[in-house]
Amino acid sequence: MDTVTQKKSWYHTVLTNLTFYVLIAIIAGVLLGHFAPATAIKTEWIGKTFVNIIKLFIAPIIFLTIVLGISSIGNLKKVGRIGIKSLIYFEVVTTLALGIGIVVALLVQPGNIDRTGLDLQDASKYTKQAGSSFNWIEFFKANLTLQVLLVAIIVGILFNYSRHRLKLIHFFGRISHYVFTALKYVMYLAPLGAFGGMAYTIGKFGLQTLVPLAKLMACVYLTMFVFIFFILGSIMRYYGFRISSFLKNIKEELLIVLGTSSSEAALPSIMRKLEKMGCSKSVVGLVIPTGYSFNLDGTSIYLSMAAIFLAQLYNIHLSAGELLTILLILMLTSKGAAGVTGSGFIVLASTLAAIKTIPLEGLAFLLGVDKFMSEARAITNIIGNGVATLVIAKSEKEYVEENV
């Protein structure tokens, strides 16, 4: 191939790559938000509309994938083993994330900063919802993902006992194909979603709002970086994977999450991508949807760091027992930090209310910059769930060797 042909091939690859357009859209959104904030704020509906369209696919894709996954395995003992292994993995890794968040916050002390100029907002709507404890029944009622997950598991098990199991698998397999085909075309709108989300964020809050709480943000981003490349990276190395190769494979999904601040926007896409990498449909269908509620590594890091940050902000000394209490409470409440709008604050408020040491009003300090940290949380969450799927698929011999 001559040089001219190579250049044409390179240009064609770049110009037909969705990642290229998402990245351009993010840059354009930042520029519009900075130089024309009034106009940028009006683009909020674009990002929200894209995320809402993607959300329409989440329930059917979770249902179809889990039903097909369980019914295709045929061995219900294996389904139970994968489920239990997943939950144990989630608890161990998220507890590590919580512990790392606490340790870094204690060492760096991001809360020991000048309070002048902090953008205080009303946090009453979060503190009122918090109550004295987290309500799991209400959380389940409000969490469509968990409801669909439960129904799909039951249907999948029932299919295993049906005489027409193979016909049912074929029928639902065709429906799944049509749903994913529709999703493929919707994903062409990803650059618009990323543009709207980023433009609104910068236009609404401005770059200067990052300054007062830059230390906390730096700690959150640095801690998540360390967690991804050292903790998750080590886990992947143990199972014969490379974190760098995995991140390269899901770069489109990461850019979508970055632009929309929502890991849900990339859920259907990451499920399909993991299957292409070599994970079986059954493992992907069980681990990813469950992980979206129980394996929130980024959210866990943020919650533990935020609690310590607020204690430092109010100059409250936490004893070793109180730190352990925070860790134990967050081990439970952090599992409820998905599927509900503002749930991160509700979970944090519930934790603070249970501890009764750190003022709930301190949540107001976090409202102004939470949007800028949500990208880091969402990206870490989706990476963590991808790693969990690869690890569990490999350990269950449900993985076809690929170059990951």
Side-chain angles (χ1 to χ4, degrees):
M1 184 181 295
D2 57 37
T3 305
V4 175
T5 305
Q6 286 180 334
K7 284 185 178 181
K8 286 183 179 180
S9 177
W10 183 84
Y11 284 128
H12 176 76
T13 301
V14 171
L15 295 177
T16 56
N17 193 336
L18 185 62
T19 305
F20 172 76
Y21 292 103
V22 172
L23 188 58
I24 292 297
I26 290 174
I27 295 172
V30 171
L31 292 175
L32 179 65
H34 181 61
F35 292 107
T39 303
I41 290 175
K42 297 177 182 178
T43 66
E44 179 186 15
W45 68 272
I46 301 176
K48 282 190 173 181
T49 300
F50 173 72
V51 173
N52 288 336
I53 292 174
I54 293 296
K55 284 182 178 180
L56 294 176
F57 286 86
I58 291 176
I61 284 178
I62 287 176
F63 178 81
L64 291 168
T65 308
I66 290 180
V67 169
L68 288 171
I70 293 177
S71 56
S72 297
I73 291 177
N75 186 345
L76 292 180
K77 288 185 179 180
K78 191 170 187 178
V79 173
R81 188 172 68 248
I82 293 173
I84 293 173
K85 182 178 290 187
S86 299
L87 292 175
I88 293 174
Y89 175 91
F90 295 159
E91 191 61 54
V92 171
V93 176
T94 52
T95 301
L96 269 175
L98 289 168
I100 290 172
I102 290 176
V103 170
V104 173
L106 291 174
L107 291 176
V108 182
Q109 298 189 359
N112 292 334
I113 59 178
D114 183 7
R115 303 178 193 180
T116 304
L118 288 175
D119 180 22
L120 296 181
Q121 299 181 43
D122 181 19
S124 60
K125 66 177 179 178
Y126 298 106
T127 58
K128 287 177 182 177
Q129 293 182 61
S132 58
S133 61
F134 190 82
N135 191 323
W136 278 93
I137 295 177
E138 291 300 319
F139 169 64
F140 182 80
K141 288 181 180 178
N143 194 322
L144 180 62
T145 301
L146 283 183
Q147 295 170 16
V148 174
L149 182 68
L150 179 61
V151 172
I153 290 173
I154 294 172
V155 172
I157 291 173
L158 291 176
F159 277 11
N160 269 288
Y161 291 104
S162 172
R163 292 181 303 170
H164 308 290
R165 184 172 72 91
L166 295 180
K167 289 183 179 180
L168 289 169
I169 290 174
H170 177 71
F171 175 72
F172 278 89
R174 289 187 65 183
I175 296 177
S176 178
H177 171 73
Y178 292 136
V179 170
F180 273 107
T181 300
L183 176 65
K184 175 184 175 182
Y185 290 106
V186 169
M187 289 309 297
Y188 288 128
L189 300 175
L192 289 176
F195 170 77
M198 190 59 69
Y200 170 76
T201 299
I202 301 300
K204 176 73 173 178
F205 302 104
L207 296 175
Q208 71 277 7
T209 59
L210 305 184
V211 177
L213 296 176
K215 194 173 183 181
L216 173 63
M217 291 183 58
C219 285
V220 170
Y221 273 83
L222 178 62
T223 304
M224 292 186 185
F225 177 87
V226 171
F227 181 82
I228 290 170
F229 285 95
F230 288 90
I231 303 300
L232 296 182
S234 297
I235 293 173
M236 290 196 76
R237 276 199 303 273
Y238 181 80
Y239 284 91
F241 299 114
R242 291 178 295 172
I243 188 69
S244 57
S245 297
F246 173 61
L247 296 181
K248 184 178 179 180
N249 275 327
I250 62 168
K251 58 183 182 294
E252 289 88 356
E253 287 72 23
L254 296 181
L255 282 172
I256 291 169
V257 171
L258 176 64
T260 62
S261 300
S262 171
S263 56
E264 285 186 335
L267 184 146
S269 179
I270 193 72
M271 291 176 73
R272 195 168 194 178
K273 185 67 69 69
L274 285 165
E275 286 182 31
K276 288 183 178 180
M277 290 181 193
C279 298
S280 69
K281 182 183 288 289
S282 56
V283 172
V284 173
L286 285 172
V287 177
I288 287 291
T290 311
Y292 261 66
S293 289
F294 295 97
N295 187 42
L296 304 171
D297 300 331
T299 303
S300 297
I301 290 172
Y302 170 75
L303 289 173
S304 59
M305 294 193 78
I308 304 302
F309 169 78
L310 293 177
Q312 294 169 351
L313 202 64
Y314 282 98
N315 198 27
I316 297 172
H317 175 72
L318 297 172
S319 65
E322 288 171 326
L323 290 173
L324 181 60
T325 300
I326 291 175
L327 177 63
L328 293 175
I329 292 175
L330 283 174
M331 282 173 63
L332 297 174
T333 57
S334 62
K335 304 304 180 292
V340 183
T341 302
S343 59
F345 274 102
I346 297 171
V347 169
L348 182 57
S350 301
T351 305
L352 299 183
I355 299 168
K356 302 185 188 310
T357 303
I358 305 168
L360 284 170
E361 293 75 16
L363 287 173
F365 288 105
L366 301 174
L367 291 177
V369 296
D370 179 72
K371 182 67 175 66
F372 291 98
M373 290 186 279
S374 63
E375 287 91 350
R377 294 200 299 266
I379 287 174
T380 306
N381 287 341
I382 195 170
I383 292 173
N385 282 315
V387 170
T389 305
L390 287 168
V391 166
I392 292 170
K394 187 73 175 286
S395 67
E396 284 292 314
K397 294 182 175 57
E398 292 286 334
Y399 175 79
V400 177
E401 290 293 340
E402 298 282 349
N403 186 27
V404 178

